[in-house]
Amino acid sequence: MKPLLKNADKNLLYPLLALSAILLFNLFFTDGFFSIQIKNGHLFGSLIDILNRGAPVMLITIGMTLVYATGGVDLSVGAIMAISGALSAQLIRPDYIKGIIEYGNTTSLFIVLSIPLLISIILGLWNGFLVAFIGVQPIIATLILMTAGRGIAQLITHGLIIVFEHESFQFIGSGFLFGIPFPIILVILLTFITWLLTRKTSIGLFIEAIGANPLASHYMGIKVKMMKTLTYGFSGFCAGLAGIIVCSDIQAADANNAGLFLELDAIASVIIGGTINGGRFSLAGSIIGALIIQALSTTIITRGIPPQVVLVFKAFIIIIVALIQSEKLRAQLKDLLKRGRK
Amino acid sequence: MAKTLIWSYIDASNDWHTNCNVKIIILLKELELKRSLKVLTVMLMMIMCIPGLFANGQKEDDGKIVVGFSQIGAESAWRVANTESIQSEAAKRSNIVLKFSDAQQKQENQIKAIRTFIAQGVDVIAFSPVVETGFEAVLKEAKEAGIPVILTDRAVDVADDSLWVTFMGSDFVEEGRKAARWLIEKGLTDVNIVELQGTVGSAPAIDRKTGFEEVIKSQPGMKIIKTQSGDFTRSGGKEVMEAFLKAEGDNINVLFAHNDDMAIGAIQAIEEYGLIPGKDIIIVSIDAVRGAFEAMVAGKLNVTVECSPLLGPQLFDAAEALMRGEKIPKRIVTKEDVFPMEVAAKVIDSRAY
């Protein structure tokens, strides 16, 4: 985490405070929330759950951060997740949609992974092409795939929930490496690689420059259109990977529900994390944002808050987190306090 | 959320304008914007034309019964079997024209679809309501247009029940009761139960819970210690069950899931926790889809209460009867069974879904 924090501004403090507040609440009021045991040779506990269940959101948040920093937004990530999951399941069990229920030969892991990821990247690049080269507004451009994508996923699965068994593929979503759930390891790896690419090369600076002023960046010699397209492609890749994790975890491709509304969680995470729409971005902030949202969900389920009020409760907390983040509000509060004293 | 996004977008673009001083550049940018808007309009128009192309192909309702059906979505294997039954039955009957619309689990889509059916002047409207409430206005419009409405598999909560002609489908309350009765028959009367509810506010979730609670009320030893919504999905069932296990662990004796998909997700969570589903935790679920039978054959699920999705034949029988001017009963209940683990292997091959 240390190198991640170095580049981030002090805005990271507030998301961290919010996350700690949620965790502290659990420390005092939820028994055993912090206990991490080793069970069947792997780590086990609510905290691990937060990381593990939050993995898909964290992955798409990484891609979303970069897109958001270029001044765009990617609404299609949830749909891309559904498509990549549907493709994996379809590749593993191609006969299922024809009504053949017996399990056939297992498809090689390489194919099951590479094709969905490749398609996800292509879909992301398509978004980028619309935004950068055609000049469509990012919300609209990605909205097209958000709506159409889920339909495409359902076409792939023929509206069925494709269930499958594939040992090595299942490892990705529910396996353990060194006792740690594999999705967590994937998140750490991808975060590290993205950090290396954006902070140890000039790519990160390019992205921020494009976000702050595309024209000036163009005159500086940055290939603005190409860079934008690539960030959308990267976001597509992240979504594809997240889709594979979800699909492999439940051993089924649920085209209708996989990644549903996750794009909103990802955008919320990015904003909570302090990335500016068009400008500075903070990978660490985004990851913390994603963790806040997942910590909230896990707390809600573990504590047994009545399901009817869950969404209101969630909205309430997110509004508070967003508010304490706002510099304007903090300044106004200070102002009020000063006036109060006078 | 969308609003904040739009605002932040506007803010960003304002910044951009103030940043660049050269007017020509602004002009250029605006030109570019206009061009992109043009491209966008053309694209949107093209997209909008696509459904029109399909709709035109279906306009041959001379003497045929046009049935508009608004499905909830494809949220579970059960729903998929339901859709399949309706579509294949419509294809079999030469006098039926089916207009099928998928609401993707959203009420507003469903209301829109029903309005479209009214505007198209279909003969019969049938739909599975996403939630119980809020259909009053659109059902009144249908009644004023003189189009009979058939409710399939889920009921609506409207004060005036002349707004719909018949409600066909399962008795969800009875399904909840059956699940609870099976537990009592097996002598499991001193147990801690966790419950995986369906989508909040949906008829099956409300009714199955009601029926289940009604029966276990007579047994002081049966307690529901945790209940939470898993949204009828596998991933929901798995995530919620994981949290239940963290909170209650070995205290849990029985899992009651409102559908099989959630139960199957929960089975994975139980196995990963290190307990044996079907033994350490008795699992009762509802629907009887194929996946549930596979789980029962593997000994991981104890019992499933049938909730038959094969409503196609019933639906079109009723539509034909209505068109012949016959009176049909207000409530048509589907005949359903309870399948415990022991019989699973015998019946699995005869299951259609």
Side-chain angles (χ1 to χ4, degrees):
Chain A
M1 282 304 266
K2 231 183 181 161
L4 278 173
L5 282 169
K6 204 172 71 183
N7 282 305
D9 50 84
K10 68 174 187 303
N11 271 346
L12 215 54
L13 182 70
Y14 293 96
L16 267 177
L17 269 181
L19 182 61
S20 329
I22 295 174
L23 294 179
L24 266 180
F25 170 83
N26 282 306
L27 180 63
F28 291 122
F29 300 106
T30 314
D31 286 340
F33 198 84
F34 273 76
S35 83
I36 293 181
Q37 312 161 4
I38 294 191
K39 207 163 185 172
N40 308 332
H42 51 76
L43 294 174
F44 174 89
S46 291
L47 290 181
I48 301 296
D49 266 6
I50 292 177
L51 288 169
N52 194 13
R53 289 283 150 244
V57 181
M58 285 194 269
L59 283 177
I60 57 175
T61 302
I62 294 171
M64 185 75 79
T65 308
L66 301 189
V67 170
Y68 205 67
T70 64
V73 68
D74 189 352
L75 296 180
S76 69
V77 284
I80 294 181
M81 279 177 73
I83 293 176
S84 91
L87 275 172
S88 304
Q90 170 64 10
L91 286 166
I92 292 173
R93 219 176 161 185
D95 292 334
Y96 189 74
I97 51 169
K98 292 177 205 144
I100 299 170
I101 288 165
E102 286 76 32
Y103 290 94
N105 301 326
T106 46
T107 323
S108 85
L109 185 65
F110 176 73
I111 291 175
V112 177
L113 290 183
S114 57
I115 292 178
L117 285 177
L118 199 71
I119 300 284
S120 305
I121 294 173
I122 291 171
L123 290 172
L125 290 175
W126 161 252
N127 280 333
F129 171 74
L130 285 182
V131 172
F133 289 91
I134 310 281
V136 184
Q137 295 221 5
I139 287 188
I140 308 292
T142 54
L143 188 67
I144 296 172
L145 193 57
M146 177 189 177
T147 324
R150 212 157 276 284
I152 295 171
Q154 284 183 358
L155 277 180
I156 296 169
T157 61
H158 287 216
L160 295 168
I161 295 177
I162 302 182
V163 292
F164 56 82
E165 280 170 14
H166 190 296
E167 219 167 284
S168 48
F169 182 72
Q170 275 159 238
F171 179 82
I172 294 165
S174 50
F176 295 89
L177 194 64
F178 315 121
I180 303 169
F182 194 63
I184 302 180
I185 293 184
L186 281 177
V187 171
I188 296 172
L189 262 179
L190 194 73
T191 315
F192 182 68
I193 292 170
T194 316
W195 172 79
L196 268 186
L197 281 176
T198 53
R199 295 305 185 200
K200 289 290 150 187
T201 73
S202 45
I203 294 175
L205 208 62
F206 287 175
I207 288 173
E208 293 182 339
I210 291 169
N213 193 333
L215 211 74
S217 314
H218 173 72
Y219 286 142
M220 260 160 51
I222 300 175
K223 287 181 178 154
V224 175
K225 291 180 175 176
M226 193 46 89
M227 280 301 298
K228 271 195 182 176
T229 311
L230 286 179
T231 54
Y232 281 93
F234 180 68
S235 175
F237 168 78
C238 294
L241 193 58
I244 285 174
I245 288 178
V246 171
C247 164
S248 124
D249 182 32
I250 59 168
Q251 296 170 35
D254 188 344
N256 205 37
N257 290 301
L260 194 64
F261 303 136
L262 277 200
E263 59 278 340
L264 298 182
D265 279 358
I267 295 169
S269 311
V270 170
I271 294 172
I272 290 173
T275 295
I276 300 164
N277 190 226
R280 284 261 194 91
F281 67 89
S282 159
L283 275 180
S286 300
I287 295 280
I288 293 167
L291 284 175
I292 290 176
I293 289 175
Q294 187 59 41
L296 203 59
S297 303
T298 307
T299 307
I300 286 169
I301 311 172
T302 315
R303 291 197 52 80
I305 290 168
Q308 289 82 354
V309 298
V310 162
L311 288 178
V312 179
F313 184 78
K314 240 179 155 176
F316 186 68
I317 302 277
I318 289 177
I319 290 171
I320 292 179
V321 174
L323 280 181
I324 49 170
Q325 266 248 76
S326 150
E327 260 173 58
K328 254 188 199 165
L329 182 89
R330 286 202 305 270
Q332 277 170 352
L333 279 180
K334 261 184 203 163
D335 214 42
L336 266 179
L337 278 177
K338 263 187 202 164
R339 270 189 224 163
R341 269 179 217 148
K342 278 175 192 168
Chain B
M1 175 59 69
K3 220 170 192 175
T4 44
L5 274 176
I6 292 163
W7 277 120
S8 64
Y9 189 83
I10 290 169
D11 281 345
S13 60
N14 282 343
D15 284 352
W16 188 83
H17 280 300
T18 46
N19 281 347
C20 79
N21 300 321
V22 195
K23 270 190 181 167
I24 301 165
I25 293 174
I26 296 179
L27 270 176
L28 273 177
K29 177 73 186 172
E30 271 170 8
L31 268 180
E32 206 180 287
L33 210 83
K34 268 184 197 155
R35 203 176 51 195
S36 66
L37 271 177
K38 232 183 253 169
V39 172
L40 192 72
T41 335
V42 172
M43 276 171 61
L44 278 176
M45 275 162 68
M46 271 160 61
I47 291 169
M48 280 168 185
C49 283
I50 296 170
L53 289 175
F54 289 109
N56 285 339
Q58 286 185 347
K59 256 196 175 167
E60 6 114 26
D61 51 319
D62 38 289
K64 291 183 177 177
I65 304 171
V66 184
V67 181
F69 185 79
S70 164
Q71 180 61 286
I72 293 177
E75 77 278 14
S76 61
W78 190 97
R79 186 66 54 195
V80 172
N82 181 236
T83 303
E84 163 63 21
S85 159
I86 287 163
Q87 285 177 336
S88 64
E89 187 67 22
K92 258 186 243 159
R93 302 191 183 197
S94 54
N95 59 335
I96 298 275
V97 177
L98 177 69
K99 287 180 188 277
F100 187 87
S101 153
D102 184 337
Q104 302 204 316
Q105 283 132 298
K106 285 206 193 85
Q107 185 176 27
E108 64 259 37
N109 291 347
Q110 200 151 40
I111 291 175
K112 238 181 273 166
I114 296 171
R115 290 224 163 95
T116 315
F117 291 149
I118 296 171
Q120 289 172 341
V122 300
D123 297 311
V124 178
I125 292 175
F127 77 112
S128 293
V130 176
V131 291
E132 283 192 337
T133 50
F135 285 104
E136 212 125 22
V138 73
L139 289 183
K140 263 185 197 139
E141 287 167 33
K143 198 187 172 190
E144 276 157 20
I147 303 171
V149 173
I150 298 175
L151 304 173
T152 66
D153 110 77
R154 293 188 186 183
V156 290
D157 186 7
V158 289
D160 175 10
D161 68 357
S162 73
L163 291 179
W164 43 275
V165 185
T166 180
F167 165 41
M168 60 177 54
S170 323
D171 184 345
F172 297 134
V173 182
E174 185 58 27
E175 287 165 4
R177 287 192 203 117
K178 280 181 189 160
R181 275 189 218 122
W182 182 86
L183 284 172
I184 296 172
E185 272 166 33
K186 289 281 150 184
L188 297 160
T189 47
D190 194 22
V191 287
N192 290 326
I193 304 165
V194 291
E195 182 185 31
L196 285 172
Q197 295 185 30
T199 307
V200 175
S202 66
I206 296 169
D207 291 351
R208 285 171 185 170
K209 188 172 174 57
T210 312
F212 190 81
E213 281 172 352
E214 185 189 303
V215 173
I216 65 166
K217 216 188 283 164
S218 62
Q219 303 285 338
M222 295 172 89
K223 288 182 294 286
I224 297 180
I225 51 171
K226 282 254 152 110
T227 175
Q228 193 64 244
S229 169
D231 247 338
F232 284 131
T233 64
R234 279 179 180 237
S235 49
K238 187 170 184 182
E239 183 176 358
V240 175
M241 192 63 200
E242 263 180 15
F244 282 173
L245 287 162
K246 296 279 169 355
E248 299 291 339
D250 300 338
N251 277 336
I252 303 170
N253 309 115
V254 170
L255 163 68
F256 169 46
H258 285 188
N259 82 344
D260 289 335
D261 291 83
M262 287 194 294
I264 293 165
I267 286 171
Q268 291 178 8
I270 295 169
E271 281 177 334
E272 282 165 22
Y273 182 79
L275 291 176
I276 303 165
K279 262 206 183 110
D280 296 331
I281 296 180
I282 304 292
I283 305 173
V284 186
S285 94
I286 297 177
D287 273 1
V289 297
R290 190 172 176 98
F293 281 89
E294 284 172 8
M296 283 197 287
V297 170
K300 294 172 180 176
L301 180 73
N302 299 80
V303 66
T304 181
V305 178
E306 187 184 27
C307 176
S308 174
L310 308 178
L311 293 174
Q314 265 182 354
L315 171 64
F316 296 115
D317 283 348
E320 284 170 9
L322 276 172
M323 285 301 110
R324 285 194 301 265
E326 290 167 21
K327 253 201 141 351
I328 54 173
K330 201 80 190 166
R331 181 78 177 92
I332 304 171
V333 179
T334 319
K335 196 188 153 294
E336 288 161 340
D337 260 329
V338 176
F339 295 101
M341 191 194 266
E342 296 76 34
V343 303
K346 262 183 258 163
V347 288
I348 186 167
D349 289 324
S350 65
R351 303 296 293 171
Y353 55 93

